[in-house]
Amino acid sequence: MTTLAAAALGLVIGAVLGALGGGGAILTVPALVYLLGETAQEATTSSLVIVGVTAIAGMAGHARSSRVRWGTGAVFGGVGVLAAFAGSIANRHVEQHVLLLGFAALMIAAAVGMLIQSRRGEEPALDDPVDTAPVTGTDLRRPGAAGLVKVVVAGVAVGFLTGFLGVGGGFLIVPALVLAIGMPMPAAVGTSLLVIAVNSAASLVARTGSSHYDWAVITPFTLAAIIASLAGKRAADRLPPTATTRGFAALILVVAAFIAVHTLAG
């Protein structure tokens, strides 16, 4: 029954993510905790596997369209590796209610950022492509000192959040790549998946020997989410971008409010 429930949740979340263009772990961790009964630490570990594998699967499609900047992604991810280790270590020493409240705060921040971008007429890309056209040429600008600082700070922040909360952090990676080094949005989205995969792998290595993996949950959840996200993405192509962005932001706020109320009441 657990396997079937995990597959069903993977289908639902995958479809929502594909349709609304959201980051995987934003909904994955709450689902694992509140619907499948995992602890916060177990859920963040499971989420790292799910998010990492999903990122690799998504990255393959972007790579075929030349939308992954391998060198930039490796550097960005490399900056956050030590932070991912630090976040994973911190995860083991934080009480569950603190971890869940931190996750709720991150969800609120992500939702607010999405709503602000939607008001500007921009489509915030988290883990899904905005444009299907291939990206060619070396159309990056050389970042100045301020740009480099932004990339380093974003890389460290994303690495820590990945290790600590099991999130991908695409909502931080994409803006940093676009604003700091002038990367086109499609390439930034594809490259962000490489960064997510690197940070997820580093976080899992840091948890080696101290974490439990429930493969009866992780495997069907991951496979179902990947399959459903493809169908959801096709549906998203027919929906107004601003409406789907605001819809997903509203969903995140509702889940964040539930986590906060449930945690504080407990």
Side-chain angles (χ1 to χ4, degrees), residues 151-170:
V151 170
V152 171
V153 170
V156 171
V158 168
F160 184 83
L161 289 174
T162 300
F164 188 58
L165 296 176
V167 299

mmCIF file with all atom_site columns, all heavy atoms in Angstrom, residues 151-170:
data_model
loop_
_atom_site.group_PDB
_atom_site.id
_atom_site.type_symbol
_atom_site.label_atom_id
_atom_site.label_alt_id
_atom_site.label_comp_id
_atom_site.label_asym_id
_atom_site.label_entity_id
_atom_site.label_seq_id
_atom_site.pdbx_PDB_ins_code
_atom_site.Cartn_x
_atom_site.Cartn_y
_atom_site.Cartn_z
_atom_site.occupancy
_atom_site.B_iso_or_equiv
_atom_site.pdbx_formal_charge
_atom_site.auth_seq_id
_atom_site.auth_comp_id
_atom_site.auth_asym_id
_atom_site.auth_atom_id
_atom_site.pdbx_PDB_model_num
ATOM 1   N N   . VAL A 1 151 ? 26.970 35.349 -7.774  1.00 0.00 ? 151 VAL A N   1
ATOM 2   C CA  . VAL A 1 151 ? 27.040 33.937 -8.145  1.00 0.00 ? 151 VAL A CA  1
ATOM 3   C C   . VAL A 1 151 ? 27.533 33.092 -6.975  1.00 0.00 ? 151 VAL A C   1
ATOM 4   O O   . VAL A 1 151 ? 26.979 32.031 -6.669  1.00 0.00 ? 151 VAL A O   1
ATOM 5   C CB  . VAL A 1 151 ? 27.960 33.741 -9.370  1.00 0.00 ? 151 VAL A CB  1
ATOM 6   C CG1 . VAL A 1 151 ? 28.226 32.258 -9.608  1.00 0.00 ? 151 VAL A CG1 1
ATOM 7   C CG2 . VAL A 1 151 ? 27.328 34.364 -10.611 1.00 0.00 ? 151 VAL A CG2 1
ATOM 8   N N   . VAL A 1 152 ? 28.590 33.573 -6.299  1.00 0.00 ? 152 VAL A N   1
ATOM 9   C CA  . VAL A 1 152 ? 29.143 32.822 -5.176  1.00 0.00 ? 152 VAL A CA  1
ATOM 10  C C   . VAL A 1 152 ? 28.134 32.725 -4.032  1.00 0.00 ? 152 VAL A C   1
ATOM 11  O O   . VAL A 1 152 ? 27.911 31.651 -3.464  1.00 0.00 ? 152 VAL A O   1
ATOM 12  C CB  . VAL A 1 152 ? 30.455 33.469 -4.675  1.00 0.00 ? 152 VAL A CB  1
ATOM 13  C CG1 . VAL A 1 152 ? 30.914 32.823 -3.371  1.00 0.00 ? 152 VAL A CG1 1
ATOM 14  C CG2 . VAL A 1 152 ? 31.540 33.346 -5.734  1.00 0.00 ? 152 VAL A CG2 1
ATOM 15  N N   . VAL A 1 153 ? 27.504 33.858 -3.700  1.00 0.00 ? 153 VAL A N   1
ATOM 16  C CA  . VAL A 1 153 ? 26.519 33.865 -2.614  1.00 0.00 ? 153 VAL A CA  1
ATOM 17  C C   . VAL A 1 153 ? 25.352 32.946 -2.947  1.00 0.00 ? 153 VAL A C   1
ATOM 18  O O   . VAL A 1 153 ? 24.896 32.155 -2.108  1.00 0.00 ? 153 VAL A O   1
ATOM 19  C CB  . VAL A 1 153 ? 26.017 35.303 -2.340  1.00 0.00 ? 153 VAL A CB  1
ATOM 20  C CG1 . VAL A 1 153 ? 24.827 35.281 -1.385  1.00 0.00 ? 153 VAL A CG1 1
ATOM 21  C CG2 . VAL A 1 153 ? 27.134 36.143 -1.753  1.00 0.00 ? 153 VAL A CG2 1
ATOM 22  N N   . ALA A 1 154 ? 24.852 33.042 -4.184  1.00 0.00 ? 154 ALA A N   1
ATOM 23  C CA  . ALA A 1 154 ? 23.743 32.181 -4.593  1.00 0.00 ? 154 ALA A CA  1
ATOM 24  C C   . ALA A 1 154 ? 24.156 30.719 -4.564  1.00 0.00 ? 154 ALA A C   1
ATOM 25  O O   . ALA A 1 154 ? 23.397 29.853 -4.126  1.00 0.00 ? 154 ALA A O   1
ATOM 26  C CB  . ALA A 1 154 ? 23.261 32.577 -5.984  1.00 0.00 ? 154 ALA A CB  1
ATOM 27  N N   . GLY A 1 155 ? 25.380 30.422 -5.030  1.00 0.00 ? 155 GLY A N   1
ATOM 28  C CA  . GLY A 1 155 ? 25.856 29.044 -5.037  1.00 0.00 ? 155 GLY A CA  1
ATOM 29  C C   . GLY A 1 155 ? 25.949 28.461 -3.641  1.00 0.00 ? 155 GLY A C   1
ATOM 30  O O   . GLY A 1 155 ? 25.535 27.317 -3.396  1.00 0.00 ? 155 GLY A O   1
ATOM 31  N N   . VAL A 1 156 ? 26.473 29.244 -2.716  1.00 0.00 ? 156 VAL A N   1
ATOM 32  C CA  . VAL A 1 156 ? 26.584 28.788 -1.328  1.00 0.00 ? 156 VAL A CA  1
ATOM 33  C C   . VAL A 1 156 ? 25.195 28.613 -0.704  1.00 0.00 ? 156 VAL A C   1
ATOM 34  O O   . VAL A 1 156 ? 24.930 27.623 -0.008  1.00 0.00 ? 156 VAL A O   1
ATOM 35  C CB  . VAL A 1 156 ? 27.426 29.782 -0.499  1.00 0.00 ? 156 VAL A CB  1
ATOM 36  C CG1 . VAL A 1 156 ? 27.374 29.439 0.982   1.00 0.00 ? 156 VAL A CG1 1
ATOM 37  C CG2 . VAL A 1 156 ? 28.874 29.769 -0.983  1.00 0.00 ? 156 VAL A CG2 1
ATOM 38  N N   . ALA A 1 157 ? 24.298 29.578 -0.949  1.00 0.00 ? 157 ALA A N   1
ATOM 39  C CA  . ALA A 1 157 ? 22.943 29.508 -0.386  1.00 0.00 ? 157 ALA A CA  1
ATOM 40  C C   . ALA A 1 157 ? 22.198 28.294 -0.911  1.00 0.00 ? 157 ALA A C   1
ATOM 41  O O   . ALA A 1 157 ? 21.553 27.561 -0.148  1.00 0.00 ? 157 ALA A O   1
ATOM 42  C CB  . ALA A 1 157 ? 22.175 30.789 -0.711  1.00 0.00 ? 157 ALA A CB  1
ATOM 43  N N   . VAL A 1 158 ? 22.300 28.065 -2.220  1.00 0.00 ? 158 VAL A N   1
ATOM 44  C CA  . VAL A 1 158 ? 21.614 26.917 -2.823  1.00 0.00 ? 158 VAL A CA  1
ATOM 45  C C   . VAL A 1 158 ? 22.175 25.617 -2.283  1.00 0.00 ? 158 VAL A C   1
ATOM 46  O O   . VAL A 1 158 ? 21.430 24.679 -1.950  1.00 0.00 ? 158 VAL A O   1
ATOM 47  C CB  . VAL A 1 158 ? 21.732 26.970 -4.361  1.00 0.00 ? 158 VAL A CB  1
ATOM 48  C CG1 . VAL A 1 158 ? 21.286 25.646 -4.979  1.00 0.00 ? 158 VAL A CG1 1
ATOM 49  C CG2 . VAL A 1 158 ? 20.894 28.108 -4.916  1.00 0.00 ? 158 VAL A CG2 1
ATOM 50  N N   . GLY A 1 159 ? 23.503 25.532 -2.171  1.00 0.00 ? 159 GLY A N   1
ATOM 51  C CA  . GLY A 1 159 ? 24.113 24.314 -1.646  1.00 0.00 ? 159 GLY A CA  1
ATOM 52  C C   . GLY A 1 159 ? 23.650 24.015 -0.231  1.00 0.00 ? 159 GLY A C   1
ATOM 53  O O   . GLY A 1 159 ? 23.293 22.877 0.094   1.00 0.00 ? 159 GLY A O   1
ATOM 54  N N   . PHE A 1 160 ? 23.631 25.036 0.617   1.00 0.00 ? 160 PHE A N   1
ATOM 55  C CA  . PHE A 1 160 ? 23.206 24.829 2.008   1.00 0.00 ? 160 PHE A CA  1
ATOM 56  C C   . PHE A 1 160 ? 21.738 24.412 2.081   1.00 0.00 ? 160 PHE A C   1
ATOM 57  O O   . PHE A 1 160 ? 21.383 23.491 2.817   1.00 0.00 ? 160 PHE A O   1
ATOM 58  C CB  . PHE A 1 160 ? 23.429 26.092 2.834   1.00 0.00 ? 160 PHE A CB  1
ATOM 59  C CG  . PHE A 1 160 ? 23.106 25.904 4.296   1.00 0.00 ? 160 PHE A CG  1
ATOM 60  C CD1 . PHE A 1 160 ? 24.040 25.353 5.152   1.00 0.00 ? 160 PHE A CD1 1
ATOM 61  C CD2 . PHE A 1 160 ? 21.866 26.264 4.799   1.00 0.00 ? 160 PHE A CD2 1
ATOM 62  C CE1 . PHE A 1 160 ? 23.746 25.157 6.501   1.00 0.00 ? 160 PHE A CE1 1
ATOM 63  C CE2 . PHE A 1 160 ? 21.559 26.073 6.143   1.00 0.00 ? 160 PHE A CE2 1
ATOM 64  C CZ  . PHE A 1 160 ? 22.502 25.515 6.990   1.00 0.00 ? 160 PHE A CZ  1
ATOM 65  N N   . LEU A 1 161 ? 20.884 25.099 1.325   1.00 0.00 ? 161 LEU A N   1
ATOM 66  C CA  . LEU A 1 161 ? 19.459 24.762 1.343   1.00 0.00 ? 161 LEU A CA  1
ATOM 67  C C   . LEU A 1 161 ? 19.215 23.346 0.825   1.00 0.00 ? 161 LEU A C   1
ATOM 68  O O   . LEU A 1 161 ? 18.341 22.637 1.329   1.00 0.00 ? 161 LEU A O   1
ATOM 69  C CB  . LEU A 1 161 ? 18.673 25.774 0.500   1.00 0.00 ? 161 LEU A CB  1
ATOM 70  C CG  . LEU A 1 161 ? 18.544 27.182 1.077   1.00 0.00 ? 161 LEU A CG  1
ATOM 71  C CD1 . LEU A 1 161 ? 17.872 28.105 0.079   1.00 0.00 ? 161 LEU A CD1 1
ATOM 72  C CD2 . LEU A 1 161 ? 17.766 27.161 2.389   1.00 0.00 ? 161 LEU A CD2 1
ATOM 73  N N   . THR A 1 162 ? 19.984 22.944 -0.177  1.00 0.00 ? 162 THR A N   1
ATOM 74  C CA  . THR A 1 162 ? 19.832 21.589 -0.704  1.00 0.00 ? 162 THR A CA  1
ATOM 75  C C   . THR A 1 162 ? 20.170 20.566 0.366   1.00 0.00 ? 162 THR A C   1
ATOM 76  O O   . THR A 1 162 ? 19.438 19.591 0.575   1.00 0.00 ? 162 THR A O   1
ATOM 77  C CB  . THR A 1 162 ? 20.743 21.374 -1.927  1.00 0.00 ? 162 THR A CB  1
ATOM 78  O OG1 . THR A 1 162 ? 20.391 22.316 -2.943  1.00 0.00 ? 162 THR A OG1 1
ATOM 79  C CG2 . THR A 1 162 ? 20.589 19.969 -2.485  1.00 0.00 ? 162 THR A CG2 1
ATOM 80  N N   . GLY A 1 163 ? 21.283 20.771 1.064   1.00 0.00 ? 163 GLY A N   1
ATOM 81  C CA  . GLY A 1 163 ? 21.670 19.832 2.106   1.00 0.00 ? 163 GLY A CA  1
ATOM 82  C C   . GLY A 1 163 ? 20.765 19.875 3.322   1.00 0.00 ? 163 GLY A C   1
ATOM 83  O O   . GLY A 1 163 ? 20.435 18.839 3.901   1.00 0.00 ? 163 GLY A O   1
ATOM 84  N N   . PHE A 1 164 ? 20.340 21.063 3.706   1.00 0.00 ? 164 PHE A N   1
ATOM 85  C CA  . PHE A 1 164 ? 19.571 21.231 4.941   1.00 0.00 ? 164 PHE A CA  1
ATOM 86  C C   . PHE A 1 164 ? 18.105 20.852 4.783   1.00 0.00 ? 164 PHE A C   1
ATOM 87  O O   . PHE A 1 164 ? 17.528 20.164 5.631   1.00 0.00 ? 164 PHE A O   1
ATOM 88  C CB  . PHE A 1 164 ? 19.681 22.680 5.405   1.00 0.00 ? 164 PHE A CB  1
ATOM 89  C CG  . PHE A 1 164 ? 19.089 22.930 6.769   1.00 0.00 ? 164 PHE A CG  1
ATOM 90  C CD1 . PHE A 1 164 ? 19.537 22.240 7.883   1.00 0.00 ? 164 PHE A CD1 1
ATOM 91  C CD2 . PHE A 1 164 ? 18.090 23.884 6.940   1.00 0.00 ? 164 PHE A CD2 1
ATOM 92  C CE1 . PHE A 1 164 ? 18.996 22.472 9.144   1.00 0.00 ? 164 PHE A CE1 1
ATOM 93  C CE2 . PHE A 1 164 ? 17.550 24.121 8.189   1.00 0.00 ? 164 PHE A CE2 1
ATOM 94  C CZ  . PHE A 1 164 ? 18.006 23.418 9.295   1.00 0.00 ? 164 PHE A CZ  1
ATOM 95  N N   . LEU A 1 165 ? 17.478 21.306 3.682   1.00 0.00 ? 165 LEU A N   1
ATOM 96  C CA  . LEU A 1 165 ? 16.039 21.108 3.506   1.00 0.00 ? 165 LEU A CA  1
ATOM 97  C C   . LEU A 1 165 ? 15.681 20.161 2.364   1.00 0.00 ? 165 LEU A C   1
ATOM 98  O O   . LEU A 1 165 ? 14.507 19.868 2.160   1.00 0.00 ? 165 LEU A O   1
ATOM 99  C CB  . LEU A 1 165 ? 15.353 22.460 3.275   1.00 0.00 ? 165 LEU A CB  1
ATOM 100 C CG  . LEU A 1 165 ? 15.410 23.452 4.441   1.00 0.00 ? 165 LEU A CG  1
ATOM 101 C CD1 . LEU A 1 165 ? 14.783 24.777 4.034   1.00 0.00 ? 165 LEU A CD1 1
ATOM 102 C CD2 . LEU A 1 165 ? 14.715 22.888 5.668   1.00 0.00 ? 165 LEU A CD2 1
ATOM 103 N N   . GLY A 1 166 ? 16.677 19.706 1.610   1.00 0.00 ? 166 GLY A N   1
ATOM 104 C CA  . GLY A 1 166 ? 16.380 18.778 0.520   1.00 0.00 ? 166 GLY A CA  1
ATOM 105 C C   . GLY A 1 166 ? 15.716 19.420 -0.674  1.00 0.00 ? 166 GLY A C   1
ATOM 106 O O   . GLY A 1 166 ? 15.015 18.754 -1.434  1.00 0.00 ? 166 GLY A O   1
ATOM 107 N N   . VAL A 1 167 ? 15.926 20.733 -0.865  1.00 0.00 ? 167 VAL A N   1
ATOM 108 C CA  . VAL A 1 167 ? 15.307 21.439 -1.988  1.00 0.00 ? 167 VAL A CA  1
ATOM 109 C C   . VAL A 1 167 ? 16.309 21.610 -3.115  1.00 0.00 ? 167 VAL A C   1
ATOM 110 O O   . VAL A 1 167 ? 17.518 21.577 -2.904  1.00 0.00 ? 167 VAL A O   1
ATOM 111 C CB  . VAL A 1 167 ? 14.771 22.820 -1.558  1.00 0.00 ? 167 VAL A CB  1
ATOM 112 C CG1 . VAL A 1 167 ? 13.715 22.669 -0.482  1.00 0.00 ? 167 VAL A CG1 1
ATOM 113 C CG2 . VAL A 1 167 ? 15.902 23.711 -1.070  1.00 0.00 ? 167 VAL A CG2 1
ATOM 114 N N   . GLY A 1 168 ? 15.788 21.816 -4.327  1.00 0.00 ? 168 GLY A N   1
ATOM 115 C CA  . GLY A 1 168 ? 16.668 22.003 -5.468  1.00 0.00 ? 168 GLY A CA  1
ATOM 116 C C   . GLY A 1 168 ? 17.250 23.405 -5.551  1.00 0.00 ? 168 GLY A C   1
ATOM 117 O O   . GLY A 1 168 ? 18.405 23.600 -5.890  1.00 0.00 ? 168 GLY A O   1
ATOM 118 N N   . GLY A 1 169 ? 16.429 24.406 -5.226  1.00 0.00 ? 169 GLY A N   1
ATOM 119 C CA  . GLY A 1 169 ? 16.915 25.788 -5.224  1.00 0.00 ? 169 GLY A CA  1
ATOM 120 C C   . GLY A 1 169 ? 16.930 26.460 -6.574  1.00 0.00 ? 169 GLY A C   1
ATOM 121 O O   . GLY A 1 169 ? 17.618 27.467 -6.756  1.00 0.00 ? 169 GLY A O   1
ATOM 122 N N   . GLY A 1 170 ? 16.158 25.940 -7.541  1.00 0.00 ? 170 GLY A N   1
ATOM 123 C CA  . GLY A 1 170 ? 16.128 26.559 -8.858  1.00 0.00 ? 170 GLY A CA  1
ATOM 124 C C   . GLY A 1 170 ? 15.660 27.996 -8.839  1.00 0.00 ? 170 GLY A C   1
ATOM 125 O O   . GLY A 1 170 ? 16.055 28.799 -9.680  1.00 0.00 ? 170 GLY A O   1
#
